[in-house]
Amino acid sequence: MTLGVGGTSKETALASLHNMTGGATPIGRDEYQARINKACALMQSQQLAAVYLNAGTNLKYFTGTAWYASERLVGAILTASGELHYIAPVFELGTLRDYWVIEGQLHGWQEDESPYQLVAKVLQQLGIAPDAAVGLDESTAFFIVDGLRQAAPAQRWTSAKAVTAGCRQQKSAAELALMQQAMDMTLAVHRATASMLYEGISTREVEAFIAEAHRKVGAPGSFFVIVLFGPATAFPHGVKEPQVLKNGDTVLIDTGCKLHDYISDITRTYVFGEPSARQREIWQLEKAAQAAAFAKAQIGVACGEVDTAARAVLAAGGLSKDYDLPGLPHRTGHGIGLDIHEWPYLVRGNTQPLLPGMCFSNEPMICLEGEFGVRLEDHFYMTEQGPRWFTEPAYSVDDPFGLNKV
């Protein structure tokens, strides 16, 4: 049996876990205000009179207001001078006020009124010229964008990405601390999960255990979970039907949780039973590619070069140097924060330089169709001195969690 994989009951595995949320501090009002101040400076440099922040993570990031996007327009207008005006259905105004952290002026629309006309009216009341540039949160649904264009056709609606990504992609110390704690929680769940695997268990049973384990460490549950056995591990985001674990199967588990809205995301791949020579070879190649990506990630280096460094290792190992199979079919990594996938991306052609505070997954997955796949995913953040791991990479295919490391 591979070290640290199997041999423990579910009850014992759960009993090994404890609440790990102690000391976790939510983002405070001062930091939300600092984010708004930075956004205003970026708006001024981009010559944007205002930005519209739609319900979702951008509204949450800048105002502290937790609100899910739906078919009803809920959002906020932030002007370049720092004024904040919320737009929502009249019947939601009390609830919105209850959720916000940064106060602003409320503007309500009735169910039989146009929220788009209301946005146009507020912009006019704020003295914003009818042909001025107004940035739109890039996650805003098309129906809202279309409605705004029709309500104010002369307005120069444009992407607010330079402001939203310009603020969000470099994490503060408080954000890094929450992400570190969430990652620690999920890594503990991974260890417990590996310990309770047994021949005949289904992927669905493992998914249920992971959700319970995340609750045990203090999360509401799993934010997401992918559990794959055998040939199904060659599909990066899984297959339709569940699998049953057999001796010699490759096991791939990708999961994460939320802590005060910040997300963890870790993948571990190992073998249930004795790894074959082929499984050992590919696992070690994956580990080398992950290490090469990490080593390349230095301040000022282009994001795309990190992806290239991982692919060079895979190509030297006989796999594709491009995005074809057998090899790595997707980008090497993604940004992470309030969203599980956010800017910037470690993908070929991305010339954006690495800056302090940027956070990335490092997961140059190897997919061998009809055989198995190996994804080792850990995240790192950039410091002035270079990259730092949130979680240490898997130790070896025989001892993935380093339980017998000297």
Side-chain angles (χ1 to χ4, degrees):
M1 187 74 64
T2 303
L3 295 172
V5 179
T8 300
S9 70
K10 292 181 183 179
E11 293 74 20
T12 301
L14 283 173
S16 71
L17 300 171
H18 63 277
N19 191 305
M20 298 173 65
T21 61
T25 304
I27 300 300
R29 192 184 190 286
D30 288 347
E31 182 155 337
Y32 285 118
Q33 187 59 56
R35 294 169 177 181
I36 286 177
N37 296 343
K38 182 176 180 180
C40 290
L42 287 173
M43 275 188 270
Q44 292 164 21
S45 69
Q46 295 291 319
Q47 297 184 313
L48 295 175
V51 297
Y52 168 73
L53 303 169
N54 198 48
T57 54
N58 279 324
L59 184 66
K60 171 68 179 178
Y61 179 85
F62 289 103
T63 73
T65 308
W67 205 279
Y68 289 102
S70 74
E71 80 283 3
R72 292 186 174 96
L73 183 149
V74 175
I77 297 169
L78 176 64
T79 71
S81 62
E83 291 188 64
L84 187 63
H85 293 256
Y86 291 93
I87 313 290
V90 171
F91 73 89
E92 297 281 30
L93 294 180
T95 305
L96 191 147
R97 187 186 290 109
D98 191 43
Y99 274 93
W100 71 18
V101 175
I102 301 296
E103 302 83 0
Q105 188 169 334
L106 291 167
H107 303 267
W109 54 278
Q110 297 289 5
E111 288 278 71
D112 62 344
E113 296 176 336
S114 167
Y116 319 115
Q117 291 289 348
L118 178 58
V119 171
K121 179 182 177 181
V122 171
L123 290 174
Q124 184 180 30
Q125 291 173 343
L126 289 169
I128 292 173
D131 61 349
V134 175
L136 293 173
D137 171 353
E138 68 276 26
S139 69
T140 306
F142 175 77
F143 75 88
I144 295 178
V145 177
D146 190 48
L148 293 173
R149 285 174 175 168
Q150 292 184 49
Q155 204 80 62
R156 286 189 290 128
W157 303 105
T158 187
S159 172
K161 181 181 176 182
V163 176
T164 54
C167 290
R168 288 179 57 180
Q169 65 189 4
Q170 288 180 269
K171 272 58 179 181
S172 68
E175 291 179 287
L176 292 175
L178 287 172
M179 293 170 68
Q180 180 65 70
Q181 203 159 344
M183 297 286 185
D184 291 343
M185 290 161 64
T186 290
L187 187 58
V189 168
H190 265 291
R191 291 193 192 99
T193 304
S195 76
M196 52 68 66
L197 296 179
Y198 59 87
E199 191 164 7
I201 195 172
S202 73
T203 51
R204 296 276 169 80
E205 291 175 273
V206 178
E207 291 166 3
F209 175 88
I210 291 171
E212 189 173 356
H214 266 129
R215 288 189 288 271
K216 189 76 186 293
V217 297
S222 299
F223 176 63
F224 76 99
V225 60
I226 300 170
V227 179
L228 303 168
F229 300 153
T233 58
F235 295 84
H237 290 154
V239 295
K240 181 180 179 181
E241 298 299 328
Q243 307 96 54
V244 172
L245 186 60
K246 301 186 298 296
N247 189 52
D249 273 350
T250 299
V251 175
L252 187 154
I253 298 176
D254 184 357
T255 189
C257 68
K258 276 189 173 185
L259 179 63
H260 295 308
D261 299 300
Y262 284 85
I263 298 170
S264 62
D265 177 15
I266 301 173
T267 307
R268 287 290 177 265
T269 305
Y270 38 82
V271 177
F272 183 77
E274 182 66 27
S276 68
R278 176 73 160 163
Q279 287 168 320
R280 289 182 184 281
E281 174 194 6
I282 297 301
W283 196 98
Q284 201 59 43
L285 188 60
E286 167 75 358
K287 184 173 173 65
Q290 188 191 45
F294 182 79
K296 188 65 177 179
Q298 301 296 325
I299 296 296
V301 169
C303 288
E305 292 185 30
V306 179
D307 182 84
T308 298
R311 289 181 197 282
V313 171
L314 300 183
L319 302 179
S320 172
K321 63 180 176 58
D322 297 312
Y323 290 78
D324 308 307
L325 297 183
L328 167 57
H330 56 65
R331 61 199 172 207
T332 291
H334 56 78
I336 190 170
L338 290 175
D339 288 309
I340 192 167
H341 291 177
E342 58 180 54
W343 345 256
Y345 295 98
L346 303 178
V347 64
R348 179 184 292 170
N350 186 355
T351 59
Q352 186 172 5
L354 297 176
L355 299 172
M358 288 181 172
C359 301
F360 299 95
S361 72
N362 184 349
E363 49 178 321
M365 180 178 185
I366 298 174
C367 298
L368 307 178
E369 283 187 303
E371 296 185 69
F372 59 88
V374 178
R375 178 163 72 242
L376 302 177
E377 178 187 14
D378 296 276
H379 288 66
F380 64 87
Y381 59 96
M382 297 302 301
T383 73
E384 291 285 3
Q385 293 72 42
R388 296 289 182 273
W389 290 114
F390 281 108
T391 51
E392 286 295 320
Y395 185 61
S396 71
V397 69
D398 293 300
D399 187 12
F401 298 100
L403 300 180
N404 293 271
K405 184 168 54 173
V406 177

